[in-house]
Amino acid sequence: MVVKTGSTVVRICVGSNNPVKVGAAKQAFTLMYPNHIVHCEEMHAPSGVADQPMTEAETRLGAQNRARYCARYYREQQNNSDMDYFVAMEGGVDKFEEGAATFAYVVILSGEGALMTGRSANLPLPNKVYNRLQANEELGVVMDDLFNTSNIRQKGGAIGLFTNHAATRESVYTQALVLALVPSLHPEHYSD
């Protein structure tokens, strides 16, 4: 475990001000560190990729860039090494053999520099949605238009709408973060 020995607090910085992403990070760390207090800070962190990533590689890079930005900010601007983890999520789309889908990459960067990357499950997208994304629209905007919602990306997301809220954007991010954290909980099984 990367959390400082004897500490009862896990300090995380989330590279987003989106309440869905912040909530997912807090929930994942609370699940994985049940005997700790999770202190969560949020900040805007640029992805360095398109607003709507259209490939797996671009989506992964966006999440990595956000996590690294947070770590660099705390190291350079805050002169602070108290953060245990820097967390970022990036939603994207790609066209697979089975068709177009949306998914997310999650990245967790430990205060010690270990990079853990995870990916959510795919949500199949209708062709009419994917075609609009290829025309440079963002998924949240398209979904708001199709379902007559407002700012769905800071709520249940496309996942919530298409699953009739059986799953949400936050629940999918939480699951991906929990799985990505596993190597930090059991380093004896993951170290070479």
Side-chain angles (χ1 to χ4, degrees), residues 88-161:
M89 291 146 265
E90 186 76 22
V93 299
D94 208 337
K95 188 125 187 192
F96 301 96
E97 188 176 321
E98 302 80 22
T102 185
F103 51 87
Y105 267 94
V106 299
V107 170
I108 303 164
L109 181 61
S110 76
E112 299 167 346
L115 185 71
M116 296 164 276
T117 303
R119 187 184 178 288
S120 74
N122 281 355
L123 170 70
L125 290 175
N127 284 332
K128 67 181 179 181
V129 170
Y130 185 68
N131 291 340
R132 288 181 65 178
L133 299 178
Q134 286 186 303
N136 296 320
E137 290 187 68
E138 286 187 59
L139 182 58
V141 173
V142 174
M143 297 307 295
D144 281 340
D145 183 46
L146 289 178
F147 284 84
N148 196 29
T149 54
S150 176
N151 199 17
I152 196 64
R153 68 187 207 160
Q154 290 194 357
K155 299 173 189 167
I159 294 162
L161 293 173

Side-chain angles (χ1 to χ4, degrees), residues 157-179:
I159 294 162
L161 293 173
F162 278 132
T163 66
N164 294 332
H165 305 285
T168 64
R169 190 174 186 209
E170 185 171 326
S171 71
V172 170
Y173 286 168
T174 300
Q175 181 186 51
L177 287 165
V178 163
L179 297 177

Side-chain angles (χ1 to χ4, degrees), residues 2-25:
V2 177
V3 176
K4 294 168 185 60
T5 306
S7 176
T8 59
V9 177
V10 178
R11 292 178 47 91
I12 63 173
C13 175
V14 180
S16 178
N17 298 114
N18 184 322
V20 168
K21 293 181 178 183
V22 174

